[in-house]
Amino acid sequence: MNIETHVTPCDGSRSGAHLTVQDVTVQFGGLTALSDVGFEVRPGQVLGVIGPNGAGKTTLFNVVCGFTRPQTGHLTLDGRPFRPAPQRLVRSGVSRSLQGLGLFPGLSVLENIVAGAGGAARTGWWSGLLALPRTDRDERELHDRAAALIDELGLGAHAHAQPGTLPYAVSKRVALARALVSEPRLLLLDEPAGGLGHDEVLELAELIMSLPSRGAGCSVMLVEHHVDLVMQVCDELVVLDFGRVIATGTPAVVREDPAVAEAYLGAEVDV
């Protein structure tokens, strides 16, 4: 398998959040899903998490999103303790796109994207309750950002459509737009290439590579099965197997690691 890698050094000039995961262990009954897992997503970096089925990728993603609480270990965000909770992610400057689309069936594409910013909670409880001018201004800015994303991601023809009427690839773009509308400093992507065709994966790769320089800057943690995609877009990779980190490094380094070839891709596969 011939893969052209894309590596962008983190030189300290790029912005975005700095996430660290330290010594995280998660157990479900007698099963250890993660064991002493540690890594970091540096500012402006695209970090990929790969591994075979059952390696612990989804559990790790759920820990960072706040869906799963580890038994041991801790997380920091920009050097401060980070105890993620799904309902507070946006306020922390973190957004996520889930493997399942999770679009609201009763809302239009535009309304689904706007919902990604957390609605009135983003402008403050008192402002929303009293309908202060700041709320109206913020809502206009939010709709402007949503409209810009609709244009950028080629969703203009679907802006007022219901999610149930959309092709799957279009729904994936809506989910990405919803994750981006809050202008996150850290974006968590769970299998964004799942179900996409070749050309659509190429478009996704271009979008992911543009994220670190987007707005005020964005770091990305990408959990993905699509090897070609992660090798192209990621600055560094973390490889899991049976809940443990077996390799870290640039795509060029990881693809030469015999343990990765054997555990993830199969001993006979040339990566």
Side-chain angles (χ1 to χ4, degrees), residues 20-27 32-40 60 63 69-76 240 243-245:
T20 62
V21 176
Q22 295 180 294
D23 303 324
V24 164
T25 294
V26 175
Q27 296 176 321
T32 299
L34 296 174
S35 180
D36 296 324
V37 170
F39 61 91
E40 63 179 328
L60 177 60
V63 167
R69 294 290 182 187
Q71 276 72 39
T72 63
H74 62 278
L75 285 67
T76 65
L240 295 177
R244 293 182 177 273
V245 176

Side-chain angles (χ1 to χ4, degrees), residues 72-238:
T72 63
H74 62 278
L75 285 67
T76 65
L77 188 66
D78 295 328
R80 299 179 180 180
F82 180 46
R83 299 177 180 85
Q87 68 273 19
R88 296 198 300 268
L89 284 181
V90 169
R91 293 183 181 181
S92 301
V94 181
S95 188
R96 68 182 188 273
S97 177
L98 301 178
Q99 185 174 355
L101 297 171
L103 299 178
F104 300 115
L107 301 181
S108 69
V109 165
L110 175 61
E111 291 167 336
N112 263 280
I113 295 171
V114 168
R122 186 172 172 83
T123 61
W125 186 81
W126 277 107
S127 297
L129 179 65
L130 300 176
L132 297 178
R134 186 168 68 91
T135 299
D136 292 338
R137 183 178 67 249
D138 288 347
E139 288 299 320
R140 287 195 300 271
E141 292 175 354
L142 175 55
H143 277 79
D144 288 345
R145 292 204 305 272
L149 283 166
I150 284 174
D151 288 342
E152 179 182 351
L153 298 183
L155 296 168
H158 311 282
H160 302 291
Q162 298 288 312
T165 67
L166 302 176
Y168 184 74
V170 174
S171 296
K172 295 282 277 191
R173 294 206 302 272
V174 176
L176 274 172
R178 188 175 63 179
L180 290 170
V181 74
S182 65
E183 299 181 329
R185 298 180 60 249
L186 173 63
L187 179 62
L188 310 173
L189 298 176
D190 188 15
E191 304 286 355
L196 299 184
H198 175 73
D199 291 343
E200 293 155 348
V201 171
L202 293 179
E203 293 175 0
L204 175 64
E206 292 181 2
L207 174 61
I208 293 174
M209 287 188 289
S210 74
L211 291 175
S213 58
R214 188 184 193 91
C218 181
S219 307
V220 181
M221 175 179 155
L222 168 67
V223 176
E224 182 57 68
H225 275 103
H226 198 294
V227 177
D228 285 352
L229 177 65
V230 295
M231 290 290 178
Q232 181 182 357
V233 307
C234 293
D235 302 307
E236 291 192 15
L237 299 176
V238 174

